[in-house]
Amino acid sequence: MVDQTGPGGARHAASRRNFLKAGLLGGAAAAASAGMARAAGDPLITEVQDWNRYLGDGVDAAPYGKPSEFEAHVVRRDVPWLTSDPVSSINFTPLHELDGIITPNGLCFERHHGGTAIINPADHRLMINGLVDTPLVFTMEDLKRFPRENRVYFLECAANGGMEWKGSQLNGCQFTHGMIHCVVYTGVPLRYLLEEAGVKTSGKWLLAEGADASAMTRSIPIEKALDDCLVAFKMNGEALRAEQGYPLRLCVPGWEGNMWVKWLRRLEVGDAPWAQREETSKYTDLLADGKARRHTFVMDVKSVITSPSPQAPVTHGKGPLVISGLAWSGNGTISRVDVTIDGGRNWQPARIDGPSLSKALHRFYLDINWDGSELLLQSRAIDDQGLVQPTKDALRAVRGGNSIYHNNGIQTWHVNTDGVVENVEVS
Ligand code: MTE
Ligand code: CO
């Protein structure tokens, strides 16, 4: 079990109490007062604390800032038994600790097939070849002279939730749903580069290739390449992290993470898909009749409650409880998220707060007054195409019991009367 409080647990509890007390003045959570501290007699109020008595570090202490030491438990984690080697493996975003819609760079999950390539940007090249009028090679400097755009997108691995296909398994949304991140990308629309090279009319597909040891390659339809794909060099305002493809990665908004080739070094225009490993033996969907569906590019409408969740139990007892989660769709925006606290008998619309951007994470909340009884929490997202997140049973009816990829089924968390949360399935 992950340590919930961290070394600053007691102090956190104190500031949380004060915050809630302040909230009560607004009347929003009027029923809450029972468990809340009074200032009188609290040594954290009545006694001068060390941080108030002594000078702190100067401005030169941390030229590149890090999170507070009390947040040291907020890290990417892996599941050691999942893969045979950490070099071709995955770690997971700690979704249960995050809020809003943007993932901090250092917490974005990583999926590598051959480890992180370390590339000096001065030595990096991007080639465009194949069915083009003029094959081209760009340096990073060349790329930064094209007009650029800023876009917020989620990236979800097609295998996110794959371990949950047959039933609930991993105890935490970090592990069941954490193969996702959402950042602001800065990059050049791929269309500009393809126009510069001049795509021949016979050019229908694009092969994107990485410069890492796995030289990962994926085929992308030319319509998508000319639509909203970006060749990105920044995330959340700073250079891509090495593990996210520094100095250059492809963004294929709304489509499965495997296509977002990192350390992007080559784009070949062709007239048909290439049938590479990652689009034949991997990332295809086994159907109920035993046949495999080859291309499932779009990441379908999906959501998950991030708190409470197994790694984020309810520690404050009954009364006001903020239920929070994430919803997303590779088709566009999220128009509604419904939440149930009784395993699907009754649903109520959650409050979506923050930006609602196409192919980006959406943050939702349902503020309830918990009576201390058991809960079966689920969320169900609906996107702007009217697509509704399915139950896991509905998915299995179409895809059978042996699928892995593209599991967008509804997740259930069981909250017991002590606030302890477990991964269960109610379908
Ligand atoms: N690109 C290269 N060159 N090598 C890789 O191993 N992994 C792919 C994709 N692009 C990969 C790659 C997979 S399966 C996913 S889910 C995403 O990158 C993960 O991106 P992230 O590591 O930034 O989370
Ligand atoms: Co992936």
Side-chain angles (χ1 to χ4, degrees), residues 90 109-113 155-160 179 216 218 256-259 278 283 405:
I90 184 123
F109 85 94
E110 303 167 64
R111 171 72 176 108
H112 318 306
H113 293 71
L155 181 169
E156 183 184 19
C157 180
N160 200 16
M179 292 187 201
M216 231 202 58
R218 277 297 298 254
E256 60 185 9
N258 187 258
M259 306 175 86
E278 306 293 322
Y283 300 103
Y405 303 109

Side-chain angles (χ1 to χ4, degrees), residues 40-64:
D42 184 345
L44 286 165
I45 296 292
T46 55
E47 289 168 21
V48 177
Q49 305 294 321
D50 281 355
W51 54 85
N52 190 203
R53 196 191 310 266
Y54 304 112
L55 293 174
D57 285 341
V59 291
D60 52 353
Y64 192 98

